[in-house]
Amino acid sequence: MLEISGITIRYGPFLAVNAIDLRVNEGEIVGIVGPNGAGKTSLVKAIGGIVRPDAGRIVFQSRDLSDVPAHLRIGLGISIVPEGRGLFPRMSVEENLLMGGYALASAEEMARNIERCFALFPVLAERRRQAAGTLSGGQQQMLAISIGLMSTPKLFVLDEPSLGLAPIVIAEIGRTLRKLRETGLTVLLIEQNAKLTCSVAQRIYILTSGIVRHHDTADRVMASPEVLEHLI
Amino acid sequence: MTGLMRRWLAHAIFALAAFATPLLLSGNRYFAFIAGITFFSVLWATGMNLLYGYTGLMPLMFGGIAGISAYVTIGLSANGWSFWLAMLVGSVAASLVGIVLGLPALRLRGFYFTLCSLVIQTVITLAFVYFVNLTNGDVGISHIPLPELPGGRQLAGTAYELVLATIAVIGVVVLTVIVESSFGRRLTAIREDDGLAETLGINVTRQKLAAFFVASLFASVGGALYAPYVGFISPRSFDVLLSLNIWVMVAFGGRGTIWGPVIGAVILAPVPFVLQDYYTIKDVVYGLLIIGVVVLLPGGIVGGVKRKGRADAPAAVAKQAAPVR
Amino acid sequence: MSDTTLIILLSTITTGLMLGLIFSLVAVGVTIIYGSIWMPNAANGQFFLLAALFAWSTSVSWGLQPALAALLVIGSSVPLSYALEILLVRRFYDVPNRNISYFVLTLGITQILSGIFSITYGVWSDQFQLPPLVPGVTMLGPFPIANNRLAAMLIAAVLLAILFALLRFHRYGRALRAVFQNRDAAALRGVNVRGIYRMSFVLGNAVIFAGGVLFACAYSFDLTIAWTMAITAFAIMIIGGPGSVLGALVIGIVFGLTQAVASIFASPTIAAFAYLGAMLIILLFRPSGLFAR
Amino acid sequence: MQKGYKILATGCALALALSTTALAHEPVKVGFVTELTGPWSFFGTSCIAGLKLAERHLNPAGERKIEFEVVDDQTKSDHALAAARNLDVQSKVIALSGPTSSDTALAINGYAEQNRVPFIVPVAAFPQLTKPGTHYTFRIEPDAAGWGYAIAQFVAKRKPSAKIALVYSDFALMRAIAAGLKYSAPKVGLKIEPEIVFPQGTSDATVQAAQVRAAHPDYVVVIGAGGFDNTLTNELLDIGIKPDQIIHPYGITTQVLNWGQRSVGSYYGTFFDANLDKLTAEGKQFVDQFRTQNGRPPSYIENYCYTTAYIIREAIDKNPSAADDREKFRDAISALKTKEPTSGIPIVFDKNGARKEYMYFMQIKDVQKTDYKSKQVFYIDWNPEAIPVYDLVK
């Protein structure tokens, strides 16, 4: 579904991402694990069209994305929840969800998706009028995931959903992601938290200093924790 | 070592040109006067460069500080003080006011402070109009006597312009010394990221206030000398337009470089005088000049020329700050 | 309550509202543009004056119906904004510290416009007055108020209400606020950020133009109002919080009422000192404005 | 700079060569620094329009030619000063003239006195321009403080012991007029209440209009300029003050046209108009020509600038050696005893260069789109010593 080949991103003299190849198949959950500064977020920005890569190609459903501007990628079915959650802090929960479905053409689908999100996270329904910036960290992350789901995506990209959350909340996020896996959604999960990622994803890429160091199934990565420890 | 020598060579050439100009123009009081006004602009632009170019603060009440100094100096010398003593007291007093007016900069980040200083400048102008007893209100003060030199002679004509040239040269040298000192490096660190500067152990508050004091000193020395040179001051002499003009000179020439603001002042200050006969198009030409530089040389003249040399750098900066959408 | 007290009370309220609504309009225009494109539009006062002068030309020189003239002028801001956006504004969307580039740019525009005004309109008169939108006087109890001014006030209020509703409830308004609050996230949700930039520039200028036209309808004016209005609009934006439409609205009306009330009890100069001083104090305690994010 | 120096050197050499040859055939140059751009540009350009009409009659055949060198001062004092310096040093003008605002006039006044250049101010009423000790400055417009005096005389004649509401903008000129009125009113038994001052940059005055009305005054004296003056007057009329209760110490034609039909009965002073009782044939021609060219009747500004050209001509005609010597020119102007060619009103300067004072008030009727009628209702000539103008305004 998503095919990344030879992507390179530079900021001046600094090489953030160095010729990465990566592949996500339909219905699959793929995890990217790596430490701070590994180039994970740059990669997400390139998929989202926020940063233009210096080299390489991103192909989504056999369509080359290099000429597709950021705001049109969501229409193709790519939905990204960026690092820092990408909320609109002074808008209410409901308005945030409406923004999540900004690309939707039909009001019906919008209403349906909002109901689905409220079903997934009932706490959001309770707080639908509250400003997003005043929610707790965990609730904000739930809202972020809901926003991402609002556009009925084909590919769901999550950047660091566990960042700054308490372990108990991280566990809850994990449960949610596994629930999403059952619905057949294709997910690209970018995380520092390898344990969470391995518990959700089927395949894992390990990224450090802008290079893919290791690539394997989640089970095998879990089975040999020394690889992880060595690399991260 | 050669770099250092080259730097001081530029200063020497500047000083030579500055001193030669009034002498060469001494036959024509009008051109000499324009040169004199340009020296004020050089001094003021250099002072504002310390704040805007090196500390990253954009104070649009600069003209107001010059005005406070001018009014204090003229007020004291009208009460029988020697002009030079009055100027010393006036400049220091105005610079202390400058520190107080700089206080909001400690709390306000980036452009908020600029907008705030715009309002501060408006308050200062209002105060000049309102405190009639001290400033003679909007009538202004005319017939300002020329400064007395020791020996009873008056500072006038070419001698005055030479003094102004000296002050302008001293201003540029002082800025260079500051920029190369550890104080200057601390200021630059603050400009780049004042949070980071704080963690590096720099007392951001004290450095910013010190920068305000020094820059205000540039403004106020200029203000004190401006009043007798022009012979007339009124609240409109030191209004927001002066501050904006000085700032435009800095941005136009290239902020954060020693010579950019000097070049900006030398180009822009004489424009209204040179175009005096073409008054119908003067403002339009001035405006187009500013727009042209901003569009074609975003870093100002000096910054733009420097940047052309390392073409890839700004693109990288642009990508980091405001990514492609 | 005696008639005298009532007259002074009613005149204070109407003056405060009239000025406040116009301040609000201009400040909303300024804050929409600053909030989205980071453009501190120093030329906003000149745009305001341009609208007022153009309204004068169309209604006095060309003899158009005042209402028609007003619509024409506000409409004319759209092609003007588009042209400026394509020629100049667009170039800086990706420039770091673009607010400073924009500030210089708009100062250049200010210089050009004020130069043009002084050699065109400035030659004709030192003051300009439009024919009334609605003639006659209405009695509010003992207080007579010109219908013209009531109409201008009403239109300003309606415009602000429409604007507020647009930004609060319409899809585009929501997208605009989303861009204010989190540009990248908005782009990821499918918002065409450049499109929003352009729209907010056009909308902001149209609102400033509307303010200028209504001012010209309610008051006689001269070329000096440009700077007064520019500084006032900036002050309102700072206090209200850049990018906050609600802030601009509330603080604008507070400014207008303060000016009206203070002019009875104290010297208006003291009033000017007082509210600019209040602004500084507010900034020291809430540096990002009262209604900031 | 090199190039500039060369031009300069050539210029100096030329000037030197010229000064040694006979100057008699050279035109007499007068520097005219005025407000062609900036906030006061209307006054400067109107002034030039008046001056241009005078230039037609200025140079009859066989007489030494007089040339005006017009320079813009952007309504800024430093530019006015630079322009004055340029005209003095470069063009070697015999005299300076032109400013129509107090700011620029005061700046040039300082330069002229310090550098001994005769300076004829066409339009600037601020008293300090001709304060005691002034030697080179002459002012054609009457003293602002004196306008206040004239208004007091006028009101006292209309209604003894009347109550006046005084409303004025906080500008130097307006304060000077108000000071004259406040000094003179009690002396003729008038009461001033309330007194309301507006800061610069005000735009609304409904509240103050309400205060004025609450005081039930017999007359309201409105001293302002520009858009605000107009707004204030409209607001006073809105709130029920009668047009003939409102007195403007001065007004310009575009302002009158702005008032439209509602201005019936307003009073104006120092106002030049086709309906002056003393209008001469040349004056009638001046009004007609001006109206043809500019689409509106002239105001006092245009009249005084027209008159400026006239008195320079007269001074030189009476005393040809004054054309090449600034001291003699000053003396010639100072000794002039003549009349405004347009209105026949005498022109005599006192020892400080202030003109002896003459005031006339016009009642405006029948305002059309570009025209109006007016009737002269009051005229007073008086001695400037009647009130201590220089002590009233610092």
Side-chain angles (χ1 to χ4, degrees), chain D residues 52-67:
Chain D
K52 284 272 183 288
L53 283 179
E55 275 179 347
R56 294 185 180 176
H57 313 285
L58 189 63
N59 291 308
E63 303 262 8
R64 179 87 181 264
K65 195 165 187 264
I66 296 174
E67 263 178 16

Side-chain angles (χ1 to χ4, degrees), chain D residues 286-309:
Chain D
F286 166 65
V287 172
D288 288 344
Q289 284 181 344
F290 188 89
R291 192 199 296 278
T292 317
Q293 278 187 8
N294 300 279
R296 61 176 171 87
S299 304
Y300 65 99
I301 311 162
E302 294 87 343
N303 177 42
Y304 289 140
C305 293
Y306 185 91
T307 303
T308 301

Side-chain angles (χ1 to χ4, degrees), chain D residues 3 28 44 64-65 69 80 87-88 252 271 281 287 332 355:
Chain D
K3 200 173 161 199
V28 183
R64 179 87 181 264
K65 195 165 187 264
E69 218 172 286
L87 290 164
D88 169 20
I252 52 171
F271 197 37
V287 172
R355 192 172 155 194

Side-chain angles (χ1 to χ4, degrees), chain B residues 17 20-21 23-31 33-34 37 126 129-130 132 136-140 142-146 161 226 229-234 236-237 241 245 269 272-273 276-277 279-280 282-283, chain D residues 1 4-5 7-8 12 36-39 45 70-83 85-86 89-90 102-104 106-107 109-110 113-114 126 128 131 170-173 175 199-200 393-394:
Chain B
T21 310
L23 293 174
L24 290 175
L25 297 178
S26 62
N28 184 314
R29 294 296 312 136
Y30 178 60
F31 287 159
F33 180 78
I34 298 176
I37 293 288
L126 267 178
V129 177
Y130 187 74
V132 179
N136 213 19
D138 54 347
V139 178
S142 58
H143 297 88
I144 297 171
L146 290 163
E161 276 108 35
Y226 177 88
Y229 186 65
V230 172
F232 175 82
I233 54 172
S234 74
R236 293 194 35 225
S237 311
L241 295 179
N245 270 332
F273 295 97
Q276 200 150 37
D277 288 344
Y279 65 90
T280 46
K282 184 200 68 220
D283 287 328
Chain D
M1 189 164 38
Y5 179 59
I7 293 171
L8 201 74
C12 288
L36 299 176
T37 59
T45 43
V70 179
V71 184
D72 175 31
D73 65 21
Q74 306 174 33
T75 324
K76 284 182 191 154
S77 48
D78 56 342
H79 283 265
L81 202 77
R85 195 183 296 262
N86 187 22
V89 179
Q90 288 271 89
S102 296
D103 229 27
T104 49
L106 281 164
N109 164 249
E113 293 295 321
Q114 274 168 355
F126 199 65
Q128 300 302 313
K131 64 176 181 239
D170 194 8
F171 285 92
L173 178 68
R175 285 198 305 271
Q200 303 184 8
V393 182
K394 284 276 164 16

Side-chain angles (χ1 to χ4, degrees), chain C residues 4 7-8 11-12 15 19 60 118 122-127 129 143-144 146 149 215 219-222 263-264 268-269, chain D residues 37-38 41-43 45 199 201 203-204 206-208 210-211 214 226-227 230-231 234-235 238-239 252 254-255 258 369:
Chain C
T4 307
I7 287 177
I8 291 180
S11 65
T12 310
T15 300
L19 280 178
V60 175
S118 75
V123 170
W124 167 251
S125 182
D126 73 329
Q127 53 178 273
Q129 181 186 336
F143 172 66
R149 187 169 299 200
F215 185 88
Y219 301 106
S220 301
F221 61 96
D222 52 46
S263 63
I264 316 177
T269 314
Chain D
T37 59
S41 60
F42 172 72
F43 292 86
T45 43
S203 39
D204 192 300
T206 320
V207 182
Q208 288 75 7
Q211 282 174 299
N230 202 2
T231 299
N234 280 333
E235 282 166 346
D238 281 346
I239 209 158
I252 52 171
T254 48
Q255 187 169 29
N258 270 341
K369 205 170 170 194

Side-chain angles (χ1 to χ4, degrees), chain D residues 146-170:
Chain D
W147 302 0
Y149 169 82
I151 291 170
Q153 299 297 319
F154 168 69
V155 172
K157 191 178 155 221
R158 282 263 158 142
K159 185 173 184 193
S161 61
K163 190 160 111 180
I164 297 178
L166 172 60
V167 186
Y168 62 101
S169 291
D170 194 8

Side-chain angles (χ1 to χ4, degrees), chain D residues 92-301:
Chain D
K92 310 237 178 295
V93 295
I94 188 74
L96 291 166
S97 183
T100 62
S101 93
S102 296
D103 229 27
T104 49
L106 281 164
I108 300 177
N109 164 249
Y111 181 86
E113 293 295 321
Q114 274 168 355
N115 296 283
R116 297 164 186 276
V117 188
F119 176 39
I120 302 166
V121 189
V123 189
F126 199 65
Q128 300 302 313
L129 277 169
T130 50
K131 64 176 181 239
T134 304
H135 195 61
Y136 292 92
T137 305
F138 300 91
R139 187 179 58 208
I140 296 184
E141 187 173 24
D143 196 300
W147 302 0
Y149 169 82
I151 291 170
Q153 299 297 319
F154 168 69
V155 172
K157 191 178 155 221
R158 282 263 158 142
K159 185 173 184 193
S161 61
K163 190 160 111 180
I164 297 178
L166 172 60
V167 186
Y168 62 101
S169 291
D170 194 8
F171 285 92
L173 178 68
M174 321 299 167
R175 285 198 305 271
I177 304 168
L181 177 61
K182 284 195 284 183
Y183 176 84
S184 313
K187 295 204 170 355
V188 287
L190 303 174
K191 202 173 144 205
I192 295 183
E193 196 205 326
E195 181 190 335
I196 296 171
V197 194
F198 286 95
Q200 303 184 8
T202 314
S203 39
D204 192 300
T206 320
V207 182
Q208 288 75 7
Q211 282 174 299
V212 165
R213 186 173 130 185
H216 297 292
D218 299 301
Y219 288 94
V220 186
V221 177
V222 179
I223 312 175
F228 177 64
D229 190 10
N230 202 2
T231 299
L232 174 57
T233 306
N234 280 333
E235 282 166 346
L236 285 169
L237 293 169
D238 281 346
I239 209 158
I241 305 287
K242 297 277 170 299
D244 58 3
Q245 283 180 286
I246 301 175
I247 299 172
H248 285 266
Y250 70 114
I252 52 171
T253 47
T254 48
Q255 187 169 29
V256 179
L257 298 174
N258 270 341
W259 265 297
Q261 295 296 339
R262 302 157 83 195
S263 66
V264 176
S266 295
Y267 294 92
Y268 297 83
T270 70
F271 197 37
F272 190 80
D273 186 87
N275 300 296
L276 278 183
D277 285 354
K278 293 180 176 174
L279 202 68
T280 62
E282 186 174 345
K284 287 202 174 76
Q285 197 193 8
F286 166 65
V287 172
D288 288 344
Q289 284 181 344
F290 188 89
R291 192 199 296 278
T292 317
Q293 278 187 8
N294 300 279
R296 61 176 171 87
S299 304
Y300 65 99
I301 311 162

